[in-house]
């Protein structure tokens, strides 16, 4: 794991990978799959994320003001499908991390856990924009720390060659994903 | 070319492809490459697009209120690089379409031209949000018509198998792109 310069953090998202959003507030924590995540600015690094108003994640990130964007690889497809198939609100006395055996480690600047074995992580702080949040479920956030797996991202760019099992994923529809493909 | 049901238009963008934004106002028209394009809502279909305030495209879309999102394939990588390397404002007595021999056809609901040989097209009408536009260069738009190349998108989903030359592209950095890869 290597730190990513914040002015290069947009490059983690530039190719449009599907992500996992992690959140925590008090003793509660959650994880959801999200494809509608996009770079918004270079420096300070900003992103947009769409979080439906009915999700448990929405409740936690609005209470805490922070969340993490984790980028899963093709090795983690089954986990991505699992966490996308249920609400953390419906799990009694447990959470999705325990339910599905998802290992995490501590973030640097926020409370949300980061998912082990993902290939990049963006720690984000919400820039309050109540109109966007209420009208469009659209959140704007500043990236306050970023990290990547140095085997596939270094010097500000992805290099998946030789690491097919670490390629990021792109959700098409109904649980079908494409891996990030060949350079062209 | 086949029409795409508007409630399924988000699926054209769900996997995060790099796009070409086309615009027109009066006798002026332009084309720019844009990776920061994202689905925002299902029905009515909405998208977010980041358009820098210094671009010629910004001038045209703010004047006209509409634009098109075109999805290029791997066959069009050189053209994507060309249109991203110069501002249409700097071309005297011509435009990027003429300069680079880019063929177009008429959109259904808007004035912006659609690019021939792309694999999907979303015709968009800006929902005015002056604060987002001024503060973040962020535009929200409703998709008012959508079309796709039926060889690779039909019944609401992508199917690139057997059509490697029609795979969409994902910009990494500095003119390096990855093709949409294998299903996983």
């Amino acid at each position: 794991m290597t730190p990513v310069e914040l002015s290069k953090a947009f490059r983690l998202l530039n190719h449009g990978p599907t992500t996992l959003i992690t959140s925590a507030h008090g003793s509660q924590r959650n994880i959801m799959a999200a494809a509608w995540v996009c770079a918004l600015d270079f420096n300070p690094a900003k992103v947009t994320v769409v979080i439906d108003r009915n999700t448990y994640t929405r409740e936690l990130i609005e209470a805490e003001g922070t969340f993490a964007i984790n980028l899963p690889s093709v090795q983690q497809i089954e986990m991505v499908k699992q966490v996308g198939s249920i609400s953390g609100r419906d799990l009694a006395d447990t959470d999705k991390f325990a339910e599905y055996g998802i290992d995490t480690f501590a973030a640097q600047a926020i409370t949300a856990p980061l998912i082990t074995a993902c290939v990049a992580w963006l720690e984000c702080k919400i820039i309050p924009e109540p109109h966007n949040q209420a009208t469009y479920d659209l959140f704007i956030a500043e990236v306050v720390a970023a990290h990547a797996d140095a085997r596939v991202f270094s010097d500000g760019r992805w290099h998946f060659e030789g690491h097919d099992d670490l390629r990021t994923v792109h959700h098409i529809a109904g649980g079908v994903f494409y891996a990030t493909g060949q350079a062209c």
Side-chain angles (χ1 to χ4, degrees), chain A:
Chain A
M1 185 168 129
T2 185
V4 174
E5 195 182 325
L6 288 179
S7 66
K8 298 284 170 54
F10 76 95
R11 289 190 175 170
L12 297 172
L13 297 176
N14 216 52
H15 66 305
T18 292
T19 74
L20 295 167
I21 306 287
T22 47
S23 52
H25 182 64
S27 63
Q28 303 178 298
R29 56 185 191 162
N30 198 34
I31 171 174
M32 69 173 278
W36 297 1
V37 172
C38 192
L40 175 65
D41 207 350
F42 301 100
N43 196 5
K46 297 190 193 81
V47 297
T48 55
V49 182
V50 181
I51 309 276
D52 188 274
R53 64 198 62 194
N54 297 313
T55 61
Y56 186 39
T57 292
R58 174 74 169 259
E59 184 181 326
L60 297 184
I61 74 167
E62 286 197 321
E64 188 72 12
T66 55
F67 61 90
I69 300 168
N70 308 257
L71 268 59
S73 73
V74 295
Q75 291 183 314
Q76 294 165 296
I77 285 286
E78 287 310 313
M79 184 263 282
V80 175
K81 292 179 187 175
Q82 284 173 330
V83 302
S85 67
I86 187 171
S87 170
R89 208 180 264 131
D90 298 333
L91 293 171
D93 303 323
T94 183
D95 60 30
K96 290 190 196 176
F97 301 93
E99 182 76 8
Y100 299 119
I102 301 168
D103 291 330
T104 64
F105 60 102
Q108 182 179 309
I110 64 172
T111 57
L114 305 184
I115 301 170
T116 306
C118 277
V119 293
W121 305 266
L122 298 94
E123 303 182 21
C124 300
K125 183 177 178 185
I126 293 169
I127 297 171
E129 288 287 359
H131 171 70
N132 287 334
Q133 295 165 208
T135 309
Y136 301 111
D137 292 339
L138 175 67
F139 287 78
I140 291 175
E142 181 176 344
V143 182
V144 293
H147 328 276
D149 183 326
R151 291 174 293 177
V152 289
F153 188 95
S154 57
D155 295 329
R157 63 175 64 200
W158 291 105
H159 38 78
F160 293 111
E161 291 71 20
H163 294 286
D164 285 348
D165 56 340
L166 297 178
R167 288 179 186 270
T168 46
V169 299
H170 305 260
H171 189 220
I172 296 291
V176 177
F177 294 78
Y178 281 97
T180 304
Q182 301 303 309
C184 61

